[in-house]
Structures are given as C-alpha cells and as structure tokens.
C-alpha cells in the first residue's frame, strides 16, 4: 500500500473516531440535562401579584411571540451555558403554564456546535446575550462583546436548530466604539431592527436599523440611554408598531432610578423598583422580566437568576388608550 493510501486511510479513521467521540459527548450531555425539559405552573391564585420564579441558570435577554392557536412562546438567553431556554406559555383557569425545552446546540456546515461556530476571543468563552424571535419564527442570538447576530432556523424533520447565517451590525458611529449588542427588538414591521448598544461602562444608546439585501443599515443617530438599561419589550398587536410603547428596564447596576420605563416617558418609571436584563409581553397584557442575579452584591457570587411575571393590572389603567 502506497504512502498516499495509508495517509487517506488514517484520515478516514481519524474522522470516524472524532465522530464517535462527538456522539458520546452529546449523549452524555443529554443525560446530564434529563428532567430539565418539563412543565411548571403559577397557580391562578397567585397571578394577581408579581411572581418571581427562581431559575437554575443566569438569564440575560428574553423575547416572545404569539402562537397561532393561542398562548406565547418565549426564548430566554442562558448567559453562561450558552444556550436558549424555550417555553410555551398558556393561561387558563388553573394558572399560567410553562412547557420548557432547551436549545443547547445547532447544526452548522454539517457539524453540531455549541450555539456559536467559534470562540470570540482566544482564552475566553462565549456568553449568550440575546435570543430574539423574528416575525418569521427564526431566532436571532448574539453573544457578549460582539456585534454579530447568528440566525437560527427552527427544526423541521430533524431535532436540531440550524445556524442559517451570520449577519453583522455596521461599525458604531465615529468616536463611539467599541459598542456591543446588549438588547434587541425585532418588531412586526418586516426588516426593522432596534438595538441597545453599550460598552458596559460609560456609554449606551438605542439605535434603529433596517435590513436590506442581507445587510444591516443604520437609520439615523442613536438615542443615549443610561448604562445597564436593558430591553426591549412591546405589547402585542397594534402596539408593536408604536415606538412610544417600547419598554426598557434597569439592571441592578444601572445608576438611573430602577424600574420599567416606556419610551415616551424616560424620566419616570412606569413601574418603579424593578430590575432586570430583559422584558417581554404576553398576550394577556402581562410581562415577563429576566433578572441576572450575579449583578447583585453578595459573597457567594450574587443571587440566583429569576424570571418575574408582572400581571397586566400593574400597568396604569389608561396605559393602552
């Protein structure tokens, strides 16, 4: 047997071994996560007040979309994993129900990858920053300290989501960089994109973009925000087209008065004293807030992450007039 044939045979054996190891790793991970795709209910008796749900992970951003046959589907960015927690949310006389599943890996160019195809910086780890539903049901995810979106197509006949494309924001306005994706909103208006960008220390802004022929184009100048103000949530239906209805929330680290703010009144919070790293609205008019617990002081690395349900009546009575 010639040298080339031996080399080719060794390469094929190496690929088979790599595939067996990869399969074994994914099977082991599946066993580790057994029991985490389950159901949870907030009893109806508790839905008149704000309810905090402790999480087994630290959440960053959150988004939701209305489902065809009622209810919502939410996506929560699990920061450290990195992964996306999905849940179908429905409400009936028994309470508010969450049916949970996870996206921990995607297919990209014939291989399974841990959400992102590479590591952003050598010696560091990817962190899930946002997980946003687009109007067509795809997921736009981003990682900390980056300006790229990774667009995931939902599974059809196969179980795994597909990393379909990678698309980047244009560079920040002159003199403002570097800025990174902190929060995102994809309104029902096709091809529009609203992003909170920040350097996480001295400057943050909300910017409007439009997607044209596969590229993201900036629309005008960004509006300055307090650092560590997150978002972006908007009530469903016709309100999703109104900029005045965009909602923001302060993190624990934000120096502004803590609470949920509406875009047409950024001086006074609509609901004070609440903190979070993401906000989204459900079909019943209530909202869900993610809370990143490691932003809180404490000797044992802060607090557990939380998902907070805010009933619709907590918003002012004339809120949607």
């Amino acid at each position: 047997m010639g040298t080339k044939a031996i080399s080719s045979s060794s390469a094929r054996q190496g690929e088979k071994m790599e595939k067996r190891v990869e399969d074994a790793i994914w099977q082991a991970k599946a066993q580790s996560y057994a029991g985490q795709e389950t159901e949870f209910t907030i009893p109806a008796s508790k839905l008149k007040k704000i309810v905090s749900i402790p999480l087994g992970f630290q959440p960053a951003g959150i988004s939701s979309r209305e489902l065809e046959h009622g209810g919502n589907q939410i996506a929560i960015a699990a920061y450290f994993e990195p992964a996306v927690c999905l849940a179908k949310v429905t409400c009936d006389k028994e309470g508010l129900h969450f049916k949970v599943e996870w996206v921990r890996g995607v297919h990209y160019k014939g291989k399974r990858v841990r959400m992102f195809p590479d590591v952003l910086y050598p010696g560091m780890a990817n962190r899930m920053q946002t997980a946003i539903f687009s109007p067509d049901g795809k997921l736009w995810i981003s990682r900390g300290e980056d300006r790229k979106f990774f667009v995931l197509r939902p599974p059809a006949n196969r179980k795994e989501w597909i990393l379909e494309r990678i698309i980047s924001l244009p560079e920040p306005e002159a003199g403002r960089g570097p800025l990174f994706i902190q929060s995102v909103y994809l309104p029902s208006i096709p091809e529009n994109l609203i992003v909170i960008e920040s350097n996480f220390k001295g400057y943050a802004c909300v910017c409007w973009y439009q997607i044209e022929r596969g590229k993201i184009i900036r629309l005008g100048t960004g509006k300055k925000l307090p650092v560590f103000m997150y978002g972006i949530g908007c009530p469903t239906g016709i309100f999703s087209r109104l900029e005045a209805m965009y909602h923001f929330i302060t993190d624990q680290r934000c120096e502004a008065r803590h609470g949920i703010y509406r875009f047409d009144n950024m001086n006074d919070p609509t609901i004070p004293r609440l903190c979070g790293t993401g906000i989204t609205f459900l079909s019943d008019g209530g909202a869900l807030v993610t809370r990143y617990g490691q932003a809180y002081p404490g000797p044992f690395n802060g607090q557990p992450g939380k998902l907070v349900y805010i009933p619709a009546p907590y918003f002012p009575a004339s809120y949607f007039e």
Side-chain angles (χ1 to χ4, degrees), residues 164-239:
E164 184 178 75
R165 61 174 172 147
I166 302 170
I167 183 170
S168 298
L169 288 177
E171 289 301 308
E173 297 172 340
R176 295 298 188 188
L179 298 176
F180 310 112
I181 297 167
Q182 181 173 292
S183 298
V184 187
Y185 179 62
L186 286 161
S188 59
I189 304 172
E191 310 303 328
N192 278 18
L193 180 68
I194 303 139
V195 183
I196 296 177
E197 304 174 30
S198 178
N199 59 14
F200 301 107
K201 54 181 181 180
Y203 182 79
C205 62
V206 57
C207 296
W208 279 255
Y209 294 93
Q210 190 166 25
I211 307 166
E212 296 181 359
R213 299 178 182 179
K215 292 185 178 181
I216 299 177
I217 310 298
R218 182 182 293 107
L219 301 175
T221 302
K223 177 181 175 62
K224 189 176 180 181
L225 292 177
V227 178
F228 292 116
M229 178 172 276
Y230 288 78
I232 304 168
C234 190
T236 58
I238 61 172
F239 302 113

Side-chain angles (χ1 to χ4, degrees), residues 14-247:
E15 290 174 358
K16 289 180 180 180
M17 178 61 73
E18 182 181 345
K19 182 66 167 59
R20 286 197 294 269
V21 171
E22 180 184 345
D23 289 341
I25 291 172
W26 283 93
Q27 289 172 13
K29 288 178 179 178
Q31 292 177 358
S32 298
Y33 302 137
Q36 295 185 7
E37 297 196 350
T38 184
E39 299 183 17
F40 175 83
T41 296
I42 303 175
S45 60
K46 295 185 177 181
L47 291 179
K48 292 182 179 180
K49 295 183 178 181
I50 294 175
V51 181
S52 294
I53 306 168
L55 302 175
F57 63 96
Q58 293 291 352
I62 185 173
S63 68
S64 67
R65 66 184 184 114
E66 291 187 290
L67 297 175
E68 183 178 353
H69 301 294
N72 298 84
Q73 185 179 32
I74 63 170
I76 305 173
Y79 184 73
F80 287 105
E81 277 66 8
V84 177
C85 177
L86 298 177
K88 181 180 179 182
V89 184
T90 55
C91 191
D92 58 25
K93 63 181 182 179
E94 301 297 327
L96 191 67
H97 309 281
F98 297 80
K99 186 175 182 180
V100 177
E101 60 180 300
W102 282 84
V103 183
R104 301 185 188 273
V106 298
H107 268 263
Y108 180 66
K109 294 184 177 180
K111 287 190 174 184
R112 284 178 290 184
V113 299
R114 190 65 179 264
M115 305 307 293
F116 304 100
D118 58 7
V119 177
L120 184 58
Y121 299 111
M124 296 183 67
N126 290 322
R127 304 301 188 202
M128 187 71 68
Q129 185 71 32
T130 65
I132 307 298
F133 284 114
S134 60
D136 59 3
K138 295 177 181 178
L139 268 175
W140 287 48
I141 63 174
S142 68
R143 54 190 174 183
E145 300 176 343
D146 200 0
R147 293 183 66 81
K148 294 178 182 176
F149 291 106
F150 299 79
V151 183
L152 309 184
R153 187 173 75 244
N157 298 325
R158 61 193 308 169
K159 189 175 181 180
E160 294 87 0
W161 287 64
I162 308 296
L163 174 50
E164 184 178 75
R165 61 174 172 147
I166 302 170
I167 183 170
S168 298
L169 288 177
E171 289 301 308
E173 297 172 340
R176 295 298 188 188
L179 298 176
F180 310 112
I181 297 167
Q182 181 173 292
S183 298
V184 187
Y185 179 62
L186 286 161
S188 59
I189 304 172
E191 310 303 328
N192 278 18
L193 180 68
I194 303 139
V195 183
I196 296 177
E197 304 174 30
S198 178
N199 59 14
F200 301 107
K201 54 181 181 180
Y203 182 79
C205 62
V206 57
C207 296
W208 279 255
Y209 294 93
Q210 190 166 25
I211 307 166
E212 296 181 359
R213 299 178 182 179
K215 292 185 178 181
I216 299 177
I217 310 298
R218 182 182 293 107
L219 301 175
T221 302
K223 177 181 175 62
K224 189 176 180 181
L225 292 177
V227 178
F228 292 116
M229 178 172 276
Y230 288 78
I232 304 168
C234 190
T236 58
I238 61 172
F239 302 113
S240 64
R241 295 177 177 269
L242 304 176
E243 289 185 0
M245 300 301 291
Y246 295 163
H247 289 71

